Amino acid sequence: MNQNWLSKFPPLPEDFSGIGQPIDLARWELSRFLPESAFSLKVEPEMGDAFLLSGSTITGGETGVLYGAYALLRHLQGGAPLPASSRPRYPLRMINCWDNMDGSVERGYAGRSLFFEGGQFVYHPARLRHLGRMMASVGLNVLCINNVNVHEPAQGLLDELLPDLSALADLFRPFGVRLMVSVDFSMPLRAGLATADPLDGRVQTWWAQTAARVYREVPDLAGFLVKADSEGRPGPFTYGRSHAEGANLLARALKPFGGVLVWRCFVYNCRQDWRDASVDRPKAAFDTYQPLDGQFDENVILQIKNGPFDFQVREPVSPLLLSMEKTNMALEVQLAQEYTGQQIDLYTMAPLWKEIFADLEPDRLSAVAAVSNLGRDDNFFGHPLAAANFFAFGLLTWNPEISPEETVSLWIALTYDLDASSRQTLLRWMMNSRRIYEKYTAPLGLGWMITPHSHYGPNPSGYEYDLWGTYHRASHTAVGIDRTAAGTGYLTQYPPELQARYQNASSCPDLLLLFFHRLPYDFVMKDGRTLIQRIYDDHFEGAAEAAELEKALAAIPFPEPDRTVILERAEKQRLNAENWRDVINTFFHRLSDLPDARGRTIYP
Ligand code: GCW
């Protein structure tokens, strides 16, 4: 079994009968490296996930002792700094799998589902224990196992599939990982009720009884995750009810059992007329939810994507995350590289999250969630280096103050035995990888020039005359959308400091320039280049850097089988980057009829 950042850890035992609780696992893990007399574990239940390390004693809550053990092992194995005490910033540190029960994974790039096949629970306990260990080793504690688009038979997870759910929860319990399930707002209809209206007494009773049944089988279920009124999913709007009324319905059913209701805010008009410039999709989440601030129950968490669109390579932070004062919020990021190279192209995410946290004041959040990049491939992540994203996500949700470099370099140290110069080279390329991808794909904050639906490779007009609200509006003279008060007004959703940052094209950061402004191709950028020249230059540079990246990776002595997989993917990435360069540059060249100042080949 591929061990990735646990490569220096021995495989878990096949017989897990003696390991029922996190403390048992903590003891087992430590005793692989230290004589039993060299450490002691002390449980103080009220400490929860927190731990103290003093001398040879780890004191912590029931899960805290396990996190303390992994902190110590990260130190021994990879030289990570050893804290005297530590507690996670957020109580819920979640992985959201978009796995379907037919075995497919929506936006999955690492093979089929780890949990399901053929409409049933089908899994290898040893593989899932390894997943539990990966999660625990970086402090992640909630696993939502099924797609937020809940297709049959996953609706049965609250019903006939409960025994399977319960068995899976048992399997993850020693790792301190609690399960969560995605549920569909219309489930009462499946059960034979005539309505799913949140204000209908029968519907309320049905959810209350359902929650009671679920918690009898899985007493420590973390809660439910819901995608409602989003991309065709059912929701309270069908009944003329608000999303507070919808969310509170489920939250009240979960409350007696200590469960949380995580409600996604990915609500927008996905049937837009592209001719109608008065609708601006990034405004949608704020417009829907901000007026409801204060109306959500205590055990509701609104889960908000990091940007106002949808996991593009660069977006400003979602203004909704900055504007809810009286509502619990979870930040949602995407480990699955849907728009960012699909675990073929190298794309290290820690720098991106750091930017979000910088604008966000991390204390405003009560949870963090990531869409999973896991699958059934031997290495779990498709691309061996994509594991670093999962790893860094865990460490950053534990402590958002940690630096991206620190997470990536620790991941490298734990995963591979490389000489110092190879480690440095790898770190440098991983840290630059997002910028490289950005250069050959998305000009200056535009996004969405990707092939529709598959979301790999270029197609500059693919989404332009479609329903999805993702337009760049490139003409023969200008490109981008004015989102200031003079334009769509999106910018006015931000607090004053951020409005000031983005307000003027002359001072707006280059990398978000075309997100906020519509500019002519001869607009002069801060560095003196014209906008069109900058677009050409970035695309040429990005493709050249992807070629250098391939060479740099080839020079690093990765062990097999990782080396082969990494090099195959690096070659595909280079070809992808060349394709993006040519397609995007040609698109703008044809539209603008402006030459490249450096006379390079742009295909007519
Ligand atoms: O961007 C879209 C993805 C969908 C996904 C949706 C969401 C689960 O293309 O595949 O559906 O986001 O986040 O709900």
Side-chain angles (χ1 to χ4, degrees):
M1 183 174 306
N2 189 301
Q3 292 260 98
N4 208 283
W5 68 88
L6 300 168
S7 61
K8 294 169 193 164
F9 288 53
L12 290 170
E14 297 217 339
D15 176 9
F16 233 67
S17 52
I19 304 178
Q21 296 300 325
I23 188 167
D24 306 325
L25 182 62
R27 188 167 295 116
W28 187 89
E29 292 279 27
L30 289 170
S31 61
R32 299 311 100 180
F33 297 99
L34 302 167
E36 295 248 6
S37 56
F39 64 89
S40 68
L41 300 173
K42 206 166 130 214
V43 174
E44 305 264 5
E46 69 285 358
M47 287 179 72
D49 290 343
F51 61 85
L52 295 169
L53 297 171
S54 98
S56 58
T57 305
I58 302 178
T59 310
E62 280 163 23
T63 41
V65 285
L66 182 60
Y67 298 132
Y70 282 123
L72 182 58
L73 294 174
R74 280 201 301 271
H75 170 71
L76 295 174
Q77 302 292 322
L82 192 60
S85 73
S86 188
R87 64 176 57 252
R89 182 69 64 95
Y90 310 112
L92 299 172
R93 304 172 301 279
M94 311 187 274
I95 294 293
N96 294 175
C97 298
W98 287 354
D99 291 27
N100 300 313
M101 290 202 67
D102 65 4
S104 62
V105 178
E106 181 152 349
R107 311 304 177 183
Y109 310 106
R112 292 178 69 76
S113 169
L114 285 163
F115 313 109
F116 310 118
E117 192 55 66
Q120 295 176 341
F121 279 76
V122 175
Y123 55 81
H124 292 290
R127 291 275 287 172
L128 293 194
R129 286 199 187 102
H130 189 66
L131 167 57
R133 190 189 206 190
M134 290 195 288
M135 288 183 70
S137 71
V138 293
L140 297 169
N141 66 352
V142 175
L143 179 66
C144 186
I145 57 169
N146 66 307
N147 192 355
V148 289
N149 295 324
V150 188
H151 308 295
E152 285 289 1
Q155 303 241 4
L157 284 169
L158 303 188
D159 196 351
E160 66 275 6
L161 296 169
L162 270 176
D164 296 296
L165 190 67
S166 165
L168 197 65
D170 292 347
L171 187 149
F172 279 105
R173 201 161 285 122
F175 302 93
V177 171
R178 296 194 295 151
L179 298 187
M180 181 173 274
V181 282
S182 298
V183 306
D184 190 281
F185 198 75
S186 68
M187 277 183 183
L189 304 181
R190 181 189 195 251
L193 271 64
T195 175
D197 180 352
L199 299 194
D200 186 295
R202 287 160 305 173
V203 173
Q204 293 165 357
T205 307
W206 184 85
W207 279 108
Q209 288 172 346
T210 300
R213 191 171 62 235
V214 170
Y215 276 85
R216 264 198 303 279
E217 298 281 339
V218 188
D220 56 356
L221 189 81
F224 295 161
L225 173 63
V226 186
K227 172 177 179 179
D229 291 314
S230 166
E231 301 186 329
R233 306 317 299 168
F237 288 164
T238 310
Y239 307 98
R241 309 300 183 196
S242 77
H243 273 222
E245 289 165 323
N248 291 344
L249 161 76
L250 279 83
R252 286 171 197 168
L254 293 167
K255 189 172 167 59
F257 312 100
V260 295
L261 190 267
V262 183
W263 187 269
R264 295 178 83 231
C265 297
F266 188 51
V267 172
Y268 68 97
N269 176 3
C270 65
R271 307 206 62 76
Q272 191 178 328
D273 181 343
W274 60 269
R275 282 160 288 234
D276 179 0
S278 71
V279 184
D280 187 22
R281 172 168 159 183
K283 293 169 77 178
F286 182 99
D287 285 347
T288 307
Y289 292 98
Q290 209 290 322
L292 301 178
D293 193 18
Q295 295 180 31
F296 293 94
D297 282 9
E298 242 178 349
N299 63 328
V300 174
I301 299 178
L302 294 188
Q303 186 165 300
I304 303 166
K305 291 191 182 187
N306 63 268
F309 263 131
D310 189 11
F311 303 134
Q312 298 303 290
V313 59
R314 192 174 297 266
E315 297 182 39
V317 68
S318 166
L320 186 60
L321 283 163
L322 306 178
S323 69
M324 301 293 270
E325 301 290 340
K326 293 172 257 167
T327 305
N328 296 316
M329 292 184 292
L331 169 71
E332 179 179 308
V333 300
Q334 194 185 40
L335 296 169
Q337 290 172 231
E338 175 176 357
Y339 296 97
T340 53
Q342 306 202 348
Q343 286 140 252
I344 297 168
D345 301 33
L346 184 65
Y347 188 94
T348 301
M349 297 179 175
L352 185 167
W353 303 327
K354 198 68 186 179
E355 268 168 34
I356 302 164
F357 279 124
D359 280 342
L360 191 62
E361 299 166 26
D363 286 337
R364 298 177 77 115
L365 301 174
S366 39
V368 183
V371 177
S372 152
N373 57 351
L374 293 159
R376 213 183 291 164
D377 282 3
D378 278 350
N379 63 22
F380 284 93
F381 299 100
H383 195 313
L385 305 181
N389 288 331
F390 190 99
F391 178 86
F393 173 71
L395 296 193
L396 270 157
T397 59
W398 186 280
N399 172 16
E401 260 86 62
I402 193 172
S403 85
E405 285 87 344
E406 191 179 335
T407 63
V408 177
S409 82
L410 177 59
W411 176 83
I412 294 171
L414 289 168
T415 305
Y416 297 120
D417 275 321
L418 295 172
D419 57 89
S421 116
S422 297
R423 275 207 306 271
Q424 272 313 315
T425 307
L426 181 56
L427 177 64
R428 202 174 57 243
W429 285 101
M430 288 179 78
M431 291 303 293
N432 286 338
S433 58
R434 172 185 180 218
R435 183 70 194 116
I436 296 173
Y437 184 85
E438 178 176 36
K439 281 189 196 172
Y440 62 76
T441 57
L444 307 166
L446 278 186
W448 297 110
M449 293 192 142
I450 206 151
T451 305
H453 313 299
S454 78
H455 298 166
Y456 192 81
N459 186 344
S461 299
Y463 273 122
E464 196 57 15
Y465 308 105
D466 211 333
L467 308 163
W468 300 90
T470 52
Y471 314 117
H472 51 66
R473 304 210 185 270
S475 73
H476 66 289
T477 56
V479 57
I481 290 180
D482 179 359
R483 294 197 161 95
T484 67
T488 71
Y490 166 79
L491 185 60
T492 64
Q493 297 182 340
Y494 284 100
E497 322 80 78
L498 270 83
Q499 291 198 30
R501 187 196 295 168
Y502 298 124
Q503 176 64 39
N504 297 310
S506 54
S507 52
C508 176
D510 285 356
L511 298 180
L512 284 168
L513 193 58
L514 298 178
F515 186 96
F516 285 104
H517 298 279
R518 177 167 186 80
L519 295 170
Y521 296 116
D522 59 4
F523 174 83
V524 180
M525 310 274 297
K526 293 183 204 66
D527 67 4
R529 284 183 285 178
T530 59
L531 174 62
I532 191 74
Q533 192 56 40
R534 177 63 192 273
I535 293 175
Y536 295 150
D537 287 351
D538 275 9
H539 285 79
F540 279 111
E541 262 170 48
E545 285 167 7
E548 283 172 46
L549 168 65
E550 185 186 8
K551 287 199 199 105
L553 292 174
I556 296 175
F558 292 111
E560 291 293 356
D562 291 20
R563 182 177 165 80
T564 300
V565 181
I566 290 169
L567 296 188
E568 274 167 13
R569 289 181 191 223
E571 185 188 8
K572 287 190 184 153
Q573 171 169 5
R574 172 174 48 82
L575 298 171
N576 188 37
E578 288 169 4
N579 193 24
W580 272 97
R581 175 198 63 198
D582 292 341
V583 171
I584 300 293
N585 281 347
T586 298
F587 174 80
F588 283 108
H589 185 244
R590 291 185 71 187
L591 267 178
S592 68
D593 204 23
L594 293 167
D596 169 35
R598 293 170 58 191
R600 291 162 293 195
T601 305
I602 294 178
Y603 294 92

